[in-house]
Amino acid sequence: MLYVANLPIVDQELNAKVRPAHLDYINDLFLKGQVVMAGPFTDKLGGMVIYKAESFEEAKRLAEADPVIVEKARTLELREWNALELPLK
């Protein structure tokens, strides 16, 4: 299943400090096949990560271990996502 993490920034200064560790963490998970896609919103107020996991609990564990969440630079909203298979027939 896919899980979407919305990660609004709550502390810009702390976020800038923790961002390199966040990017390393997301990249490592991508290389392991546990992150499908990730990136910032253009308004610079946060970003999104799409996790691939066997359960909500696994996705939550991955998302909560992200350095920006651990350090409280961002908040986390995690939701299961049922992506459409396009094109529709």
Side-chain angles (χ1 to χ4, degrees):
M1 288 301 303
L2 298 177
Y3 300 87
V4 176
N6 180 27
L7 303 170
I9 297 170
V10 294
D11 185 326
Q12 288 284 356
E13 187 175 314
L14 181 57
N15 184 70
K17 179 181 169 187
V18 180
R19 189 169 185 266
H22 162 71
L23 294 176
D24 287 345
Y25 179 74
I26 295 302
N27 191 61
D28 287 346
L29 291 180
F30 176 81
L31 294 173
K32 294 176 183 174
Q34 295 175 296
V35 164
V36 175
M37 189 177 288
F41 295 120
T42 58
D43 62 9
K44 301 183 188 311
L45 297 177
M48 183 175 78
V49 178
I50 301 175
Y51 293 95
K52 184 176 183 180
E54 295 297 319
S55 67
F56 182 85
E57 291 74 21
E58 178 187 358
K60 185 176 178 191
R61 180 183 56 78
L62 294 171
E64 288 179 342
D66 187 324
V68 293
I69 299 303
V70 172
E71 297 296 325
K72 298 183 177 16
R74 301 184 188 199
T75 58
L76 169 65
E77 177 189 357
L78 184 67
R79 300 175 73 180
E80 186 173 341
W81 185 45
N82 189 19
L84 292 176
E85 293 200 23
L86 297 172
L88 298 175
K89 295 181 185 199

